[in-house]
């Protein structure tokens, strides 16, 4: 197994919006030692109610998760699907009582102590995986478009323009349509791997190469400050909520040999 340590952080900027409706968090599992989860949600309608519920449900489900010795990829993906579907149900019920239908996007990442990453997303919040500065994974709407064409018998061009129809929007909380969850995974994680979870208020302003360069050359905190400042600059006063979570795998510091420590003590 490759040896690495995890550096991670989250960051947000309200942009030019009156309210911050994005939410993001990093979790450790109460019953899953060595596991971590990153979650990001964008409240599309109904304010921050929907994105708050995403994080609440994610933490509750992750705290209940008992992985056992070596959970399969399918089981980890099912955990992310359960978070989506449970949140979706709660949001629909909230919409009935409040008369305002809250919607949210979702992107979630689980990293196991055995070097496996599993992720899922719904909507236009994205997950990127970089190997050093190179983007090797970027989530997209392609699986959802293929799902629309195959299940709803929509012409391909109509499916590509699905955002223009409220009936076809892929979000949590939509009372007209169940969310479609796209999943992915990667084994044998190593130092140099970096994951970026980003709302559209962030990724809209950057190329893959720019995001890769920023995350590879900086700590998560430094990268987030750099990216937020640049996004605000490029938005020219018209940017939305800007939110991200960065999970970076780096080489652990080398242990100092005992004899070196002893020499240092003597010198002191």
């Amino acid at each position: 197994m490759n040896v690495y340590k995890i550096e991670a952080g989250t960051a947000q900027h309200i942009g030019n919006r009156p309210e911050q409706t994005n939410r993001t968090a990093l979790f450790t599992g109460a019953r899953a030692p060595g596991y971590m989860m990153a979650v990001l949600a964008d409240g599309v309608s109904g304010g921050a109610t929907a994105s708050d519920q995403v994080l609440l449900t994610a933490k509750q489900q992750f705290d209940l998760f008992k992985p056992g010795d070596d959970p399969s990829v399918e089981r980890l993906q099912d955990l992310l699907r359960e978070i989506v579907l449970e949140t979706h149900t709660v949001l629909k019920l909230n919409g009935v009582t409040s008369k305002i239908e809250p919607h949210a996007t979702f992107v979630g990442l689980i990293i196991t102590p055995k070097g496996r990453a599993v992720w899922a997303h719904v909507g236009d919040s994205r997950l990127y995986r970089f190997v050093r500065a190179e983007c090797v994974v970027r989530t997209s709407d392609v699986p959802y478009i293929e799902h629309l064409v195959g299940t709803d018998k929509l012409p391909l061009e109509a499916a590509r323009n699905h955002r223009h129809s409220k009936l076809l929007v892929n979000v949590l909380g939509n009372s007209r349509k169940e969310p479609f969850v796209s999943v992915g995974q990667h084994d044998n994680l190593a130092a140099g791997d970096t994951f970026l979870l980003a709302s559209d208020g962030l990724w809209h302003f950057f190329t893959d190469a720019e995001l890769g360069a920023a995350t590879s050359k900086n700590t998560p905190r430094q990268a987030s400050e750099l990216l937020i400042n640049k996004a605000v600059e490029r938005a020219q006063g018209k940017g939305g909520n800007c939110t991200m979570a960065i999970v970076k795998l780096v080489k652990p510091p080398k242990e100092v040999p005992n004899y070196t420590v002893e020499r240092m003590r003597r010198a002191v």
Side-chain angles (χ1 to χ4, degrees), residues 184-254:
Q185 58 97 199
H186 178 75
D187 291 333
N188 300 317
L189 293 174
D193 285 329
T194 298
F195 293 90
L196 169 67
L197 285 63
S199 68
D200 61 341
L202 176 75
W203 61 254
H204 176 78
F205 296 102
F206 298 97
T207 65
D208 295 355
E210 288 175 326
L211 293 173
T215 55
S216 68
K217 296 177 181 178
N218 300 281
T219 66
R221 178 173 180 173
Q222 293 167 338
S224 62
E225 291 177 351
L226 186 157
L227 291 171
I228 284 177
N229 290 337
K230 183 58 68 174
V232 170
E233 175 188 323
R234 291 179 176 180
Q236 298 181 339
K238 299 179 181 179
N241 294 167
C242 177
T243 303
M244 76 191 84
I246 300 173
V247 180
K248 185 171 184 177
L249 280 52
V250 300
K251 291 182 179 180
K254 294 182 179 180

Side-chain angles (χ1 to χ4, degrees), residues 257-268:
N258 289 335
Y259 69 86
T260 303
V261 174
E262 185 62 26
R263 287 176 181 173
M264 291 169 62
R265 285 174 179 165
R266 287 176 180 174
V268 173

Side-chain angles (χ1 to χ4, degrees), residues 36 43 57-58 60 88 91 106 113 129 136 164 173 194 204 238:
M36 75 158 294
T57 303
Q60 290 173 339
H88 176 64
L91 293 181
F106 170 85
R129 175 175 162 252
V136 293
H164 299 300
T194 298
H204 176 78
K238 299 179 181 179

Side-chain angles (χ1 to χ4, degrees), residues 6-112:
I6 295 177
E7 296 181 346
T10 64
Q12 290 186 301
H13 190 279
I14 196 170
N16 72 325
R17 301 297 168 84
E19 180 185 4
Q20 175 60 264
T21 61
N22 293 176
R23 296 290 187 268
T24 186
L26 304 168
F27 301 123
T28 55
R31 304 182 183 184
Y35 285 72
M36 75 158 294
M37 175 187 285
V39 178
L40 183 146
D42 183 347
V44 180
S45 63
T49 301
S51 48
D52 282 336
Q53 185 61 52
V54 171
L55 264 60
L56 176 62
T57 303
K59 186 174 189 330
Q60 290 173 339
Q61 295 291 333
F62 198 41
D63 281 345
L64 292 172
F65 177 62
K66 294 181 179 180
D69 292 336
D70 191 13
S72 65
V73 170
E74 290 74 19
R75 187 175 172 212
L76 295 169
Q77 290 174 342
D78 284 345
L79 171 59
L80 293 170
R81 288 191 180 98
E82 287 168 11
I83 292 169
V84 168
L85 296 178
E86 176 69 17
T87 306
H88 176 64
T89 299
V90 173
L91 293 181
K92 286 199 300 180
L93 292 173
N94 289 345
V96 171
T97 57
S98 67
K99 307 301 182 182
I100 299 174
E101 193 170 278
H103 293 167
T105 68
F106 170 85
V107 56
L109 167 71
I110 297 173
I111 293 183
T112 78

